[in-house]
Amino acid sequence: MRHSKIGSVMTGGVVCVEFGTPFKEVARLLAHHRISGLPVVDGDEQVIGVVSGTDLMLDRARTVASPQPRPRLRFLPKGRGAGDDDVRVRAHSAGQLMSKPAVTVHAEDTVAVGARMMAQHGVERLPVVDEEERLVGIVTRRDLLQLFLRPDAHLHREVVEEVLGGALCLPPTAVALDVRDGVVTLTGEVERRIEAMVAQRMVQQVDGVIDVVSELTWRIDDSVGEAVEEDLKDVADAWIHKL
């Protein structure tokens, strides 16, 4: 069974900024490319943070809420300008505004890993890095959602051929399959409970499957108690990862 990797759905040629990129240039890039955030990289192209439109707006809001005190009028020594000491311009750059550390994914991670990280951290995009943590792309929620547009017929064929018949070597008549709007229902009888559990967990990992309803029964219940149940889950996951 093949799982789509982040590298297969990400966008390359990422628009990024450096630590010292000015506030206004960050705002211009966000507006020009119609994006909500930019990775911030160091001299080695490693991602050190992410700066977003929200970061910029929050900074402006703080500045408006806490205006700089108006400078007092006073006599200045000859040769000095009025703005040298009294009017201080706060320097803003991508590095000062960014959120850090950056939440990143690797190109070899599965789409499921990327989706889980987006949900856990409440972000809409993730910088994609290589083995040396250098920026190679960007992946968005929209990129990941494209997988859930796969037709039911494609999902049905992959589950039958690559999961039930291929990886699990189950007889064609052992498990009946129904796919509707991305929800897969499994019915039938298998030899052992572990087989039913592995089948459900494998189908859940097929790209584009939204949910799995397992109505499978088994002839041999090879689990007793909650502890053994957790052990079976570990066995199922280990089995899946070997495939």
Side-chain angles (χ1 to χ4, degrees):
M1 184 174 60
R2 299 180 300 273
H3 299 305
S4 292
K5 305 292 186 180
I6 292 293
S8 68
V9 297
M10 73 179 189
T11 300
V14 190
V15 180
C16 60
V17 293
E18 297 180 344
F19 188 96
T21 303
F23 180 106
K24 185 170 287 189
E25 177 63 10
V26 174
R28 187 192 69 79
L29 289 171
L30 291 174
H32 177 73
H33 295 281
R34 298 182 179 180
I35 52 181
S36 60
L38 293 166
V40 183
V41 298
D42 61 15
D44 295 323
E45 296 186 356
Q46 293 185 329
V47 181
I48 58 176
V50 175
V51 61
S52 68
T54 301
D55 294 326
L56 270 61
M57 295 302 295
L58 287 175
D59 179 77
R60 290 296 86 195
R62 285 193 294 266
T63 301
V64 172
S66 303
Q68 294 295 314
R70 188 172 182 176
R72 297 178 180 178
L73 294 177
R74 61 183 177 87
F75 293 104
L76 298 173
K78 187 177 180 180
R80 294 187 60 187
D84 288 349
D85 292 321
D86 295 327
V87 181
R88 300 188 181 277
V89 179
R90 294 172 62 192
H92 294 290
S93 68
Q96 294 171 315
L97 297 167
M98 69 183 183
S99 299
K100 59 180 181 180
V103 181
T104 62
V105 289
H106 289 84
E108 290 302 309
D109 288 336
T110 65
V111 167
V113 169
R116 185 161 55 248
M117 292 185 68
M118 284 186 183
Q120 288 175 344
H121 295 278
V123 295
E124 296 183 358
R125 60 181 58 231
L126 294 170
V128 185
V129 296
D130 62 15
E131 295 177 353
E132 298 180 358
E133 303 301 319
R134 293 176 301 190
L135 182 67
V136 295
I138 199 86
V139 64
T140 67
R141 286 184 182 179
R142 180 178 298 180
D143 296 327
L144 302 188
L145 288 173
Q146 293 299 315
L147 291 177
F148 294 99
L149 300 180
R150 294 183 65 192
D152 288 344
H154 291 186
L155 298 177
H156 188 286
R157 182 169 59 251
E158 181 170 347
V159 171
V160 170
E161 296 178 358
E162 298 194 25
V163 178
L164 302 179
L168 300 179
C169 299
L170 293 174
T173 58
V175 177
L177 182 69
D178 180 65
V179 184
R180 296 186 184 182
D181 296 327
V183 178
V184 179
T185 302
L186 304 172
T187 57
E189 185 180 58
V190 293
E191 182 66 20
R192 297 186 301 152
R193 185 176 183 181
I194 184 63
E195 293 177 331
M197 183 177 294
V198 169
Q200 180 178 358
R201 293 172 83 83
M202 287 191 70
V203 174
Q204 285 174 335
Q205 295 189 43
V206 171
D207 293 334
V209 170
I210 295 173
D211 195 11
V212 178
V213 178
S214 178
E215 299 176 354
L216 293 173
T217 59
W218 44 86
R219 284 181 285 276
I220 300 174
D221 187 348
D222 46 6
S223 67
V224 180
E226 183 176 344
V228 177
E229 182 80 9
E230 291 301 318
D231 289 341
L232 283 177
K233 290 181 180 179
D234 293 338
V235 171
D237 288 338
W239 188 350
I240 290 169
H241 292 151
K242 290 180 182 179
L243 299 172

